[in-house]
Amino acid sequence: MLNEFRRNLVSGEWVLFATGRAKHPPSPEEDRQYTAKETCPFEDLKKSGNTPVWFYPDENNWRIAVYENKFPAVGQGMHVDSQTQGPFEIQESVGTHNLFIYKDHERRLSDFSVDEIVEVIRIYKRRYKEIQDAESMARYILIFHNSGKEAGASVYHPHSQIISTPILPPDVAKSVSGSYRFFEEHKKNVYDVLLKWEMESGDRIICQNDKFVAFCPFVSKYPYEVRIFMKNAQPHFEQLPDDFDDELAEVLLTALKKIKKALNDPDFNMLIHTAPTEPTHTHDYYCWHIEILPKTKITGGFELGTGVDINVVDPDEAAEKLRNAEV
Ligand SMILES: [Zn+2]
């Protein structure tokens, strides 16, 4: 049984591990309306009134369609500098919110081939760069994938999202400044230290190849949380050379398949944390990574009231279970 606080090496956040607590099993509730192909808004995109951005490989034979989100979290318009209202600073929410819609209604990312995941990675990078080039005021661009209702996907049909924001999200800001501070204090890259230690221990590693490794972090906030890192730490995902895509796809797909097998196909969130768009040397010590967060947890009052997460699964045990899942 594990009972301890662990402090995140990068962000300084605390996580309480209490593995003796009752575990919340995933409850995959079947909702016919939600999953039905007949009522799916992504089956006939033209009819649904969505606005296309581009198609891959082309409009007639597309496997991935990039669309503007009909219900964007950030609005279109001209960027304006932050304003004040009373004692508050206000920043208008202007940016891009696109969807990457995958062709097949029933195939989740874990059902894709390595080649199809390579295409997904390339399209992520391409659209990221396009948005970065078009929006000088975008301070952060997040790519994420909500799979299933429990993970917040309002549409069942598999799709990823990209969103640019005029503010630097606090989580990212904390990690970036944390990694910079670590370098100032220790003259070492915090991710090199972290990865070296994880590689030497091996206890939390799920799968790896020459260039990438997937593991359950020592300070996991969530049960079965998985992170994928490049072994040679780099700040910017979108600058990943194309000849790294195969190996990234291999590790990502293996991790997704193991999560599906070991945890009974849970809903999950996947997100890519990369350095902010602004070119500054303080980002040089950050390392882009992919986080996969299976939905096995219900957040309660303690977490909400303290900002300290309670993780009911020991990351060593989580990694062992995922590592041993045959895919
Ligand atoms: Zn569909």
Side-chain angles (χ1 to χ4, degrees), residues 34-44 101-106 155-158:
Y34 180 65
T35 57
K37 198 174 173 180
E38 298 74 53
T39 51
C40 174
F42 294 167
E43 291 305 312
D44 191 343
I101 299 168
Y102 306 110
K103 186 82 186 175
D104 199 319
H105 183 82
E106 288 298 344
V155 175
Y156 171 81
H157 191 116

Side-chain angles (χ1 to χ4, degrees), residues 291-309:
E291 298 186 14
I292 310 171
L293 309 167
K295 299 308 280 188
T296 60
K297 177 185 157 128
I298 297 157
T299 301
F302 179 79
E303 289 96 325
L304 296 170
T306 61
V308 177
D309 286 283

Side-chain angles (χ1 to χ4, degrees), residues 14-44:
W14 289 102
V15 178
L16 172 59
F17 290 87
T19 59
R21 286 166 54 90
K23 292 171 183 149
H24 301 293
S27 55
E29 283 172 16
E30 199 58 30
D31 183 342
R32 268 198 209 104
Q33 252 329 89
Y34 180 65
T35 57
K37 198 174 173 180
E38 298 74 53
T39 51
C40 174
F42 294 167
E43 291 305 312
D44 191 343

Side-chain angles (χ1 to χ4, degrees), residues 143-155:
I143 295 164
F144 64 103
H145 182 94
N146 298 336
S147 183
K149 206 176 206 174
E150 300 284 318
S154 54
V155 175

Side-chain angles (χ1 to χ4, degrees), residues 22-310:
K23 292 171 183 149
H24 301 293
S27 55
E29 283 172 16
E30 199 58 30
D31 183 342
R32 268 198 209 104
Q33 252 329 89
Y34 180 65
T35 57
K37 198 174 173 180
E38 298 74 53
T39 51
C40 174
F42 294 167
E43 291 305 312
D44 191 343
L45 285 163
K46 277 188 186 138
K47 220 191 248 175
S48 68
N50 291 285
T51 308
V53 180
W54 45 259
F55 299 86
Y56 180 84
D58 57 66
E59 186 167 355
N60 294 323
N61 310 292
W62 66 269
R63 291 193 288 278
I64 305 173
V66 184
Y67 265 77
E68 285 178 14
N69 193 328
K70 212 172 169 183
F71 308 102
V74 289
Q76 289 179 325
M78 293 296 289
H79 177 88
V80 287
D81 287 339
S82 67
Q83 324 253 311
T84 54
Q85 185 171 336
F88 298 98
E89 183 183 5
I90 294 169
Q91 174 68 62
E92 211 175 306
S93 178
V94 174
T96 295
H97 188 176
N98 289 165
L99 305 174
F100 302 95
I101 299 168
Y102 306 110
K103 186 82 186 175
D104 199 319
H105 183 82
E106 288 298 344
R107 288 176 75 230
R108 287 186 167 202
L109 284 187
S110 52
D111 302 316
F112 282 29
S113 66
V114 172
D115 287 346
E116 286 172 310
I117 296 288
V118 167
E119 286 181 348
V120 171
I121 292 165
R122 296 226 165 125
I123 262 108
Y124 284 172
K125 289 194 288 188
R126 176 178 158 189
R127 191 65 191 133
Y128 185 106
K129 287 183 207 157
E130 287 174 351
I131 293 172
Q132 186 176 28
D133 289 346
E135 293 175 24
S136 58
M137 295 312 291
R139 295 201 65 200
Y140 199 71
I141 302 173
L142 178 72
I143 295 164
F144 64 103
H145 182 94
N146 298 336
S147 183
K149 206 176 206 174
E150 300 284 318
S154 54
V155 175
Y156 171 81
H157 191 116
H159 63 283
S160 305
Q161 305 183 49
I162 187 165
I163 196 163
S164 67
T165 62
I167 55 113
L168 193 56
D171 265 18
V172 176
K174 261 195 278 183
S175 294
V176 170
S177 62
S179 52
Y180 182 63
R181 200 173 51 240
F182 191 94
F183 182 81
E184 291 281 283
E185 279 172 29
H186 304 278
K187 299 299 167 206
K188 280 179 186 167
N189 184 310
V190 66
Y191 294 99
D192 290 341
V193 173
L194 196 150
L195 287 173
K196 185 168 181 278
W197 188 72
E198 287 292 359
M199 299 294 292
E200 278 169 6
S201 142
D203 291 338
R204 284 164 298 279
I205 290 176
I206 296 159
C207 56
Q208 60 178 312
N209 55 27
D210 282 354
K211 296 190 174 79
F212 296 91
V213 58
F215 61 95
C216 294
F218 185 70
V219 197
S220 296
K221 272 184 163 187
Y222 307 105
Y224 303 101
E225 171 183 339
V226 172
R227 288 194 191 197
I228 298 172
F229 275 88
M230 202 169 156
K231 288 183 177 174
N232 176 19
Q234 299 291 329
H236 292 281
F237 163 75
E238 75 282 4
Q239 290 171 16
L240 180 72
D242 286 353
D243 56 2
F244 281 61
D245 293 345
D246 285 345
E247 286 186 83
L248 174 58
E250 184 187 81
V251 168
L252 174 56
L253 186 59
T254 303
L256 289 170
K257 282 183 183 296
K258 283 176 176 288
I259 287 168
K260 181 181 182 177
K261 180 84 180 284
L263 306 177
N264 194 23
D265 199 11
D267 291 348
F268 66 89
N269 302 106
M270 180 178 88
L271 50 99
I272 301 179
H273 267 157
T274 185
T277 53
E278 198 180 11
T280 141
H281 74 285
T282 56
H283 299 162
D284 291 351
Y285 313 101
Y286 184 73
C287 180
W288 76 264
H289 56 274
I290 298 178
E291 298 186 14
I292 310 171
L293 309 167
K295 299 308 280 188
T296 60
K297 177 185 157 128
I298 297 157
T299 301
F302 179 79
E303 289 96 325
L304 296 170
T306 61
V308 177
D309 286 283
I310 300 179

